[in-house]
Amino acid sequence: WDAMEYDEKLARFRQAHLNPFNKQLGPGQHEQGAGEEVLDAGSEEISPELAPGEPEFHCSERVMDLGLSEDHFSRPVGLFLASDVQQLQQAIEECKQMILELPEQSERQKDAVVRLIHLRLKLQELKDPDEDEPNIRVLLEHRFYKEKSKSVKQTCDKCNTIIWGLIQTWYTCTGCYYRCHSKCLNLISKPCVSSKVSHQAEYELNICPETGLDSQDYRCAECRAPISLRGVPSEARQCDYTGQYYCSHCHWNDLAVIPARVVHNWDFEPRKVSRCSMRYLALMVSRPVLRLREINPLLFNYVEELVEIRKLRQDILLMKPYFITCKEAMEARLLLQLQDRQHFVENDEMYSIQDLLDVHLGRLGCSLTEIHTLFAKHIKLDCERCQAKGFVCELCREGDVLFPFDSHTSVCTDCSAVFHRDCYYDNSTTCPKCARLNLRKQSLFQEPGLDMNM
């Protein structure tokens, strides 16, 4: 038939408001409305008309109209039975066969492809009905919230298939961002990674500690599915962080920076890790758990930027007492300049992977220098109270007011007295202020009647 005849038949079908899931024709219904077939690709003959009572899904045109019904996302009245799913499955197969028979790149073939997609979405809706699901589910320390976004395309972390937000209910864990279908929730066997971060926040600091597939009994380290290096029955994929092997469902070839390679080799090249390791490293990236001077003290000899960062951090710790006793600094909330790196105002030893990554990229040195300049400006120029807390060199008694974070000063570790660096090292390596205090103690204890062991 030609295009006009096809459009007329389609209009009659929509006008009649037929239910495409009815298996039989009504007793008074004309065969032409439900029994006309599409011509084969190489023939112009019309197939025989259907007899009353014959199932509709055997007709190729009915397959085309089934996918074109305007309410293909709506649910027909009544409950679906197994036969309804079977009808859709057979309609899909016949529509696929029709696509193969129609001319390549023709408009009718493109329309058939669109109808095939609609049929498959309808079948998926039947298999995954939109039931009333709770908004919050708690499983294995995961805290799942039902997602409201319908247009975002995601992949289920459990079954490794696409989540169709328009017709499927899905959840996301607020702790580790694990995503899955509602039907996959009860199949999850891995606890939430955020609980491990809370209870055991430490890295594996051995570089890819491989033990071999035999130690895993030739099974995936997470789901225990059989795996092998030859890919039969499933390909074994190694995680560069744990050194263990995983199946393709648990290892998606995600890339991540490996902490052990950073602290030992200053190597920031991303490497393939499992899904579980990827989530753990993502949650740990900003946690200051690396004590570099204990793990690899030689790293400071080869990375000059680390030496500069350490000096800036030490100066900020010396500025902190000024701010916590200054009303103006507290009102201006100057210390909040480092709210993203709170450990910088607590110690100068601990680092996070994000800190080291920013050092490698040259970002941390610039930002920390700006904050250091802002802090010093407040203490030495803007605030009179902080200026009054400066020091005079105990040795030469000359020069400007000194502050412990100045580059040309030295600070006594015992009494916190401040000196010119040149004066301190030229005269003695012992603090003169501490020496005077020791002399006073000795003279006090040497008075009659005082016990030296008090």
Side-chain angles (χ1 to χ4, degrees):
W1 75 65
D2 54 11
M4 295 180 59
E5 184 179 359
Y6 174 80
D7 293 337
E8 292 176 0
K9 294 176 182 177
L10 180 58
R12 287 199 301 272
F13 169 77
R14 288 178 172 173
Q15 188 175 6
H17 299 289
L18 296 178
N19 187 349
F21 292 91
N22 288 337
K23 295 180 62 176
Q24 294 183 353
L25 297 174
Q29 188 175 359
H30 195 274
E31 291 86 2
Q32 184 179 0
E36 295 171 348
E37 291 189 354
V38 179
L39 292 175
D40 289 338
S43 173
E44 296 183 358
E45 297 181 358
I46 300 178
S47 300
E49 296 181 348
L50 290 176
E54 186 176 351
E56 291 181 337
F57 57 81
H58 288 294
C59 175
S60 299
E61 185 181 353
R62 175 59 53 220
V63 174
M64 304 289 282
D65 291 337
L66 179 64
L68 267 181
S69 59
E70 295 181 357
D71 61 343
H72 55 266
F73 282 112
S74 64
R75 188 186 302 276
V77 180
L79 297 176
F80 284 114
L81 303 177
S83 60
D84 298 312
V85 176
Q86 294 175 0
Q87 286 184 49
L88 275 175
Q89 289 175 341
Q90 186 164 356
I92 288 172
E93 294 300 322
E94 294 183 5
C95 191
K96 289 164 63 176
Q97 183 64 31
M98 180 177 299
I99 292 173
L100 297 176
E101 295 175 353
L102 290 172
E104 291 289 337
Q105 303 297 327
S106 64
E107 291 298 326
R108 289 172 56 194
Q109 189 187 51
K110 293 178 182 178
D111 292 341
V113 171
V114 174
R115 292 163 197 144
L116 176 62
I117 295 174
H118 291 167
L119 287 172
R120 285 178 169 173
L121 288 174
K122 192 66 179 178
L123 178 64
Q124 185 65 41
E125 182 182 4
L126 298 187
K127 292 183 177 180
D128 186 27
D130 187 14
E131 300 176 354
D132 292 333
E133 297 281 355
N135 290 327
I136 302 175
R137 297 283 298 275
V138 179
L139 296 169
L140 297 176
E141 300 187 23
H142 291 279
R143 188 172 181 83
F144 288 103
Y145 277 80
K146 182 163 61 172
E147 290 289 351
K148 300 185 181 300
S149 175
K150 299 298 183 181
S151 60
V152 179
K153 182 178 175 182
Q154 302 288 353
T155 302
C156 178
D157 285 315
K158 178 58 184 176
C159 63
N160 201 12
T161 59
I162 295 176
I163 299 174
W164 298 99
L166 286 172
I167 59 177
Q168 292 178 316
T169 305
W170 58 292
Y171 289 81
T172 300
C173 175
T174 57
C176 63
Y177 305 104
Y178 189 100
R179 299 182 183 90
C180 68
H181 299 100
S182 60
K183 62 183 180 182
C184 297
L185 280 179
N186 295 328
L187 303 177
I188 297 174
S189 59
K190 198 71 175 177
C192 182
V193 179
S194 63
S195 62
K196 181 180 178 182
V197 173
S198 302
H199 303 149
Q200 187 183 4
E202 59 182 13
Y203 285 118
E204 170 61 59
L205 294 180
N206 294 318
I207 298 177
C208 195
E210 180 183 1
T211 57
L213 262 176
D214 55 339
S215 64
Q216 300 179 203
D217 196 22
Y218 295 91
R219 293 182 178 274
C220 173
E222 184 171 344
C223 69
R224 307 305 297 168
I227 55 175
S228 70
L229 294 176
R230 296 182 178 180
V232 179
S234 180
E235 176 191 6
R237 298 179 178 180
Q238 187 180 32
C239 173
D240 195 80
Y241 174 68
T242 63
Q244 295 179 314
Y245 291 88
Y246 299 80
C247 66
S248 58
H249 287 282
C250 301
H251 192 313
W252 296 6
N253 290 328
D254 297 298
L255 298 176
V257 174
I258 309 301
R261 296 185 182 274
V262 172
V263 298
H264 292 299
N265 300 333
W266 201 244
D267 180 6
F268 291 87
E269 181 182 354
R271 286 176 169 80
K272 296 178 180 180
V273 295
S274 65
R275 293 291 290 176
C276 182
S277 297
M278 187 268 295
R279 291 193 191 91
Y280 182 76
L281 293 175
L283 293 176
M284 286 284 292
V285 68
S286 297
R287 286 184 169 256
V289 297
L290 297 173
R291 196 182 298 270
L292 285 186
R293 279 188 284 189
E294 291 184 3
I295 300 173
N296 186 8
L298 296 179
L299 194 61
F300 290 88
N301 297 337
Y302 293 95
V303 184
E304 297 180 359
E305 293 84 353
L306 282 177
V307 179
E308 298 175 2
I309 296 299
R310 182 173 61 182
K311 179 62 172 66
L312 290 172
R313 292 183 62 175
Q314 291 172 348
D315 289 348
I316 289 174
L317 290 177
L318 294 173
M319 296 177 184
K320 179 182 176 181
Y322 288 86
F323 295 144
I324 61 179
T325 57
C326 176
K327 182 179 179 180
E328 294 181 7
M330 295 298 290
E331 291 177 353
R333 309 182 76 176
L334 289 178
L335 287 178
L336 286 183
Q337 298 287 332
L338 291 169
Q339 61 180 344
D340 294 335
R341 290 184 168 91
Q342 186 65 29
H343 53 287
F344 278 18
V345 296
E346 296 175 354
N347 59 72
D348 63 336
E349 297 180 352
M350 306 303 293
Y351 292 83
S352 67
I353 288 295
Q354 188 63 54
D355 294 337
L356 301 181
L357 182 60
D358 290 341
V359 171
H360 176 67
L361 297 176
R363 297 187 300 217
L364 183 58
C366 295
S367 62
L368 207 57
T369 300
E370 293 179 0
I371 295 174
H372 182 280
T373 304
L374 177 65
F375 287 179
K377 180 176 179 293
H378 170 85
I379 296 173
K380 301 176 69 173
L381 298 176
D382 298 341
C383 181
E384 293 182 357
R385 290 189 180 91
C386 294
Q387 290 180 30
K389 297 174 184 177
F391 293 83
V392 176
C393 180
E394 295 282 342
L395 294 172
C396 69
R397 303 283 182 173
E398 297 177 356
D400 298 333
V401 177
L402 303 180
F403 293 90
F405 50 84
D406 288 334
S407 59
H408 60 283
T409 60
S410 295
V411 181
C412 177
T413 56
D414 295 327
C415 66
S416 300
V418 181
F419 312 92
H420 290 113
R421 179 172 298 177
D422 296 337
C423 297
Y424 186 67
Y425 286 105
D426 287 346
N427 289 271
S428 173
T429 56
T430 303
C431 174
K433 188 174 181 180
C434 292
R436 288 196 299 268
L437 290 174
N438 291 332
L439 289 174
R440 290 178 183 177
K441 290 180 181 179
Q442 291 178 4
S443 62
L444 179 64
F445 288 135
Q446 287 176 359
E447 292 182 4
L450 290 179
D451 187 1
M452 294 290 293
N453 295 326
M454 287 179 61

